[in-house]
Amino acid sequence: AQKITQTQPGMFVQEKEAVTLDCTYDTSDPSYGLFWYKQPSSGEMIFLIYQGSYDQQNATEGRYSLNFQKARKSANLVISASQLGDSAMYFCAMREGVDNQGGKLIFGQGTELSVKP
Amino acid sequence: EPEVTQTPSHQVTQMGQEVILRCVPISNHLYFYWYRQILGQKVEFLVSFYNNEISEKSEIFDDQFSVERPDGSNFTLKIRSTKLEDSAMYFCASSVDDRGTGELFFGEGSRLTVL
């Protein structure tokens, strides 16, 4: 079974509007972290935002926020006021605690976001 | 700000040749990782390394692959005899610990092209 599922292969958004990128996860581990990375066409992985499983508040970092719904096992990324430079591939990833020997990250398939002027 | 650095940024090699990709993790980090991303696909875990030994490896990480930390700072991935399907971006990452709530820091990647 997929540990991380991103159901939107591609998304379009108008510049200056908000967009939500979906991510659901599957774990029985009580201690885990959820991460979002941006990958522009140049290829590097840029860390955007992190949510810990014990965090009570949704994480926010500038224009990025994470809509964390623990009971539904979802961790959607919200980008507010989209900019042309936001056009990129976005990956959701999870790091488990107890059962994860060595602490690897597991990635979803990614969502390609295109921001239209 | 400390960062993970990778060299080379791009390497072109002939099929069957050996390739070594190098990484310098963040200095106080103890856990090290290699990931692979074939063009247009998701990022796949290859191997994790702690205390000078492999702690976990994926099914991709077969006998053609090896990792080592030869001098306490560099962390290398060796592919013994490259195949066409090894063409990919290879990312190194490091972290302070292996807690589920701890962050991994990624390098900028090494793009390997096998001809």
Side-chain angles (χ1 to χ4, degrees):
Chain A
Q2 292 281 350
K3 289 265 190 176
I4 294 283
T5 303
Q6 294 180 252
T7 56
Q8 306 152 314
M11 288 278 287
F12 288 93
V13 64
Q14 203 68 38
E15 193 179 7
K16 297 180 187 169
E17 293 189 349
V19 63
T20 298
L21 306 183
D22 294 342
C23 173
T24 57
Y25 60 93
D26 181 27
T27 183
S28 56
D29 197 326
S31 176
Y32 55 90
L34 296 158
F35 303 79
W36 278 92
Y37 289 87
K38 173 184 177 182
Q39 187 178 44
S41 57
S42 49
E44 72 268 30
M45 296 288 285
I46 302 169
F47 166 75
L48 294 179
I49 197 167
Y50 157 81
Q51 180 87 43
S53 58
Y54 298 119
D55 293 344
Q56 297 295 314
Q57 308 267 17
N58 284 346
T60 60
E61 288 285 349
R63 294 187 297 113
Y64 304 108
S65 60
L66 201 151
N67 184 1
F68 181 45
Q69 298 188 42
K70 196 169 181 177
R72 296 179 60 185
K73 293 188 175 177
S74 76
N76 298 339
L77 176 70
V78 180
I79 305 174
S80 63
S82 298
Q83 301 171 356
L84 296 178
D86 294 335
S87 293
M89 183 71 88
Y90 289 80
F91 289 99
C92 179
M94 176 175 66
R95 193 185 195 199
E96 296 169 298
V98 174
D99 295 327
N100 186 14
Q101 300 299 317
K104 70 177 185 283
L105 267 181
I106 305 162
F107 284 83
Q109 294 283 93
T111 295
E112 182 150 18
L113 177 67
S114 298
V115 180
K116 298 192 285 188
Chain B
E1 186 176 321
E3 59 181 13
V4 177
T5 57
Q6 288 186 241
T7 54
S9 56
H10 188 193
Q11 182 158 355
V12 181
T13 190
Q14 294 291 325
M15 190 170 58
Q17 295 296 304
E18 177 183 282
V19 160
I20 297 176
L21 305 179
R22 291 182 169 79
C23 168
V24 179
I26 295 172
S27 62
N28 64 331
H29 286 189
L30 301 176
Y31 292 81
F32 313 111
Y33 309 85
W34 283 102
Y35 286 82
R36 180 183 82 175
Q37 185 184 29
I38 294 170
L39 186 65
Q41 298 186 21
K42 72 176 182 180
V43 181
E44 301 172 292
F45 168 75
L46 289 178
V47 65
S48 58
F49 190 87
Y50 169 71
N51 200 25
N52 281 321
E53 61 182 27
I54 291 173
S55 43
E56 188 178 359
K57 59 183 180 180
S58 71
E59 59 273 14
I60 302 168
F61 194 87
D62 61 22
D63 292 344
Q64 291 298 311
F65 291 90
S66 63
V67 289
E68 63 174 1
R69 197 148 186 255
D71 56 12
S73 61
N74 288 286
F75 177 52
T76 62
L77 174 70
K78 183 194 291 187
I79 309 174
R80 268 180 261 284
S81 177
T82 49
K83 303 186 282 273
L84 295 176
E85 53 264 38
D86 293 328
S87 293
M89 181 77 98
Y90 289 82
F91 291 101
C92 174
S94 70
S95 66
V96 170
D97 55 40
D98 63 347
R99 290 179 301 125
T101 51
E103 184 183 344
L104 267 68
F105 293 79
F106 281 83
E108 294 198 340
S110 293
R111 187 174 297 282
L112 176 65
T113 303
V114 182
L115 303 175

